[in-house]
Amino acid sequence: MNSAYDRRVAFPSKLGDSTSRQLQNTSPALVVPVGSTEQHGPHLPLDTDTRIATAVAAALVERLGGSADHWLVAPAVGYGASGEHEGFPGTISIGTPVLAELLVEFARSASRWTSRLVFVNGHGGNVDALRRAVGTLRYEGRDAGWCSCSSSNADAHAGHTETSVLLHISPGVVREDQRVPGNRAPLSELMPEMLRGGVAAVSSLGVLGDPTTATAEEGRRIFAEMVDACLGRVIRWAPDQQGMLR
């Protein structure tokens, strides 16, 4: 009962549920959800991005259960670079430089006992910070990477895509009676005005897309696509210079 295999199978899948003794003489790999605390319209909670990143990370660890490495999912980083949403109450943005530094220091510390680390990102505004941070970590010789919770044909914010995923993973938090369409113009058209005045400049609701078309069934499909995409990238483990897994 003292073999490395027996210790490995006894591990929880969550870092927060583990003990330091369980991790002695092991080198688990770590999946770290990175989200945000920001407005998601009148119908979705402020932690929507964090919820999605956490759910994808947990499903990823479950799918990786048969691999040679033991994978753990860490407690989420729940604050990100969300300055474009600061026109709405509840948003808390720590900005790109601070988020990048946080992720670097997180990984430097974790790499004392982990073999590999991957950040699973749930918020598009975090991408620049992830590029900076993981690029630095890889330059330092640390085996780190990152991937985003992405799906094909997704709308921009708090619309069909995110609302569908929340109806699948956390249906109780979706305020059904508050689902109304937002600005449905292409993001490329909205970006110049958003760069000047944030999301509030193009949508008084904070919604870019149409949440009224969202369904739990569609959310199940989108969520599976997110997990499959991250899983393929982790298995291939082919990070570019900035650590993005391809």
Side-chain angles (χ1 to χ4, degrees):
M1 293 297 291
N2 292 324
S3 70
Y5 176 78
D6 289 330
R7 289 197 304 273
R8 177 177 174 272
V9 296
F11 284 164
S13 62
K14 297 179 180 178
L15 176 61
D17 290 340
S18 305
T19 67
S20 183
R21 176 169 290 182
Q22 285 176 305
L23 300 180
Q24 283 180 344
N25 303 316
T26 67
S27 296
L30 193 64
V31 179
V32 186
V34 183
S36 70
T37 299
E38 64 181 41
Q39 72 83 24
H40 274 79
H43 64 294
L44 294 181
L46 296 165
D47 69 348
T48 289
D49 292 338
T50 307
R51 284 177 186 263
I52 293 174
T54 299
V56 170
L60 179 61
V61 166
E62 183 178 357
R63 295 277 295 276
L64 289 166
S67 65
D69 294 324
H70 176 71
W71 289 86
L72 291 170
V73 60
V77 177
Y79 298 96
S82 303
E84 69 274 19
H85 297 284
E86 287 183 319
F88 296 88
T91 298
I92 298 174
S93 175
I94 62 175
T96 293
V98 171
L99 177 60
E101 186 65 20
L102 185 156
L103 299 179
V104 167
E105 293 302 326
F106 182 111
R108 283 173 176 165
S109 180
S111 65
R112 295 173 63 89
W113 51 270
T114 58
S115 59
R116 175 175 286 180
L117 183 146
V118 58
F119 295 107
V120 173
N121 178 42
H123 171 53
N126 295 341
V127 167
D128 284 347
L130 283 158
R131 288 172 175 160
R132 293 188 198 182
V134 185
T136 297
L137 293 166
R138 295 198 62 78
Y139 177 78
E140 294 175 349
R142 305 177 199 279
D143 197 9
W146 67 276
C147 60
S148 286
C149 303
S150 58
S151 65
S152 56
N153 302 314
D155 52 9
H157 187 75
H160 174 87
T161 302
E162 289 184 316
T163 305
S164 291
V165 174
L166 263 290
L167 285 170
H168 170 54
I169 65 172
S170 294
V173 304
V174 180
R175 292 157 178 80
E176 297 275 5
D177 60 337
Q178 297 295 316
R179 286 203 279 168
V180 291
N183 192 328
R184 287 170 282 182
L187 189 59
S188 58
E189 294 181 11
L190 301 176
M191 191 56 71
E193 189 65 25
M194 283 177 56
L195 289 173
R196 289 189 291 268
V199 174
V202 297
S203 174
S204 61
L205 295 171
V207 176
L208 304 178
D210 188 356
T212 66
T213 61
T215 66
E217 181 179 3
E218 180 70 354
R220 186 178 303 110
R221 181 194 66 78
I222 296 168
F223 181 75
E225 185 178 347
M226 291 176 173
V227 175
D228 287 345
C230 283
L231 179 65
R233 289 177 169 86
V234 171
I235 290 173
R236 285 190 295 274
W237 201 261
D240 63 16
Q241 283 191 324
Q242 296 174 319
M244 185 178 73
L245 299 178
R246 296 170 289 186

